[in-house]
Amino acid sequence: MLNKYARAFFTRVLTPFAALLLRLGVSPDAVTLVGTGGVMAGALAFFPRGEFFWGTIVITLFVFSDLVDGNMARQAGVSSRWGAFLDSTLDRVADAAIFGGLALWYAGGGDNNMLCAVAIFCLASGQVVSYTKARGEAIGLPVAVNGLVERAERLVITLVAAGLAGLHNFGVAGIDALLPIALWIVAAGSLVTLGQRVVTVRREAAEADAAAAADAGTAADTGQGSEAT
């Protein structure tokens, strides 16, 4: 849902900025690399120390590169398979840094092994959710389902909660409870989304196999009819 509507909105907003970068000679790939590096720096430098507010600010500044690079490629007419591959791959790296940073906090100063495990589950399940769609499409299936919690939802829920939880360091009592709640929501939503995609791929695979078998049977019948004639 967020991926559908928010992406369209921010793409329009960021189009002038993307055009400016192109005029300055910046390539879409460079924006992808810098954006991922910024997200990783924000997540791994701040989150493991419990500095959720500032970490979220830094991550948010760079996370929009995911929209800017694609916008630049379209404006320049240089959209390519390599660009799509690089963007998708580095998205996984950025996601891993965010949830990895949270896991490091709960394994250290946060002192909560359960939430450390939940953060790791969010990291792993997010990767698998993306993989199921990519693998299904690789074997020729449409994978016509998005699911309850896609990447956009995972990031928004986690980063909004982390940013607000960071206000605890500024004296806002009790607000740090938002982050554990958000992690549990993302974990549960990712599990549901994984189930939705697996079920969809299983159904589409069965339909494709049945259609292939029917086509093979029709071809065989046609061949036998030709021989009889």
Side-chain angles (χ1 to χ4, degrees):
M1 183 68 72
L2 284 175
N3 195 50
K4 179 180 179 181
Y5 296 106
R7 180 174 287 270
F9 170 76
F10 283 111
T11 295
R12 289 194 298 272
V13 171
L14 295 171
T15 292
F17 180 62
L20 173 62
L21 291 178
L22 286 172
R23 289 196 296 272
L24 293 174
V26 180
S27 72
D29 286 354
V31 171
T32 302
L33 291 168
V34 170
T36 302
V39 170
M40 292 178 65
L44 298 178
F46 292 94
F47 282 1
R49 297 188 289 115
E51 295 288 345
F52 298 127
F53 179 79
W54 294 115
T56 300
I57 293 297
V58 173
I59 291 169
T60 302
L61 290 175
F62 286 97
V63 78
F64 285 105
S65 66
D66 189 44
L67 300 176
V68 174
D69 56 5
N71 193 315
M72 291 172 65
R74 286 188 294 274
Q75 288 191 49
V78 294
S79 296
S80 65
R81 291 182 176 86
W82 161 250
F85 169 81
L86 181 66
D87 186 58
S88 179
T89 299
L90 293 185
D91 281 350
R92 307 288 84 77
V93 174
D95 293 356
I98 291 170
F99 289 105
L102 294 174
L104 288 171
W105 162 249
Y106 286 116
D111 193 25
N112 192 317
N113 289 336
M114 175 62 75
L115 289 176
C116 176
V118 174
I120 292 173
F121 179 83
C122 290
L123 189 164
S125 60
Q127 307 293 322
V128 177
V129 164
S130 297
Y131 175 80
T132 52
K133 188 174 182 67
R135 185 67 181 119
E137 291 173 343
I139 59 176
L141 302 175
V143 195
V145 63
N146 290 321
L148 181 64
V149 177
E150 296 182 83
R151 181 175 187 257
E153 285 83 2
R154 290 196 302 272
L155 288 181
V156 169
I157 292 170
T158 302
L159 292 177
V160 168
L164 291 174
L167 296 177
H168 177 76
N169 292 346
F170 295 91
V172 182
I175 200 166
D176 53 325
L178 289 177
L179 183 54
I181 293 171
L183 288 175
W184 280 107
I185 290 173
V186 170
S190 296
L191 187 61
V192 170
T193 304
L194 177 59
Q196 289 175 304
R197 291 192 174 180
V198 169
V199 168
T200 298
V201 169
R202 187 178 188 278
R203 174 178 53 79
E204 292 177 350
E207 291 172 352
D209 291 344
D215 290 344
T218 300
D221 292 340
T222 301
Q224 291 175 358
S226 299
E227 292 175 3
T229 302

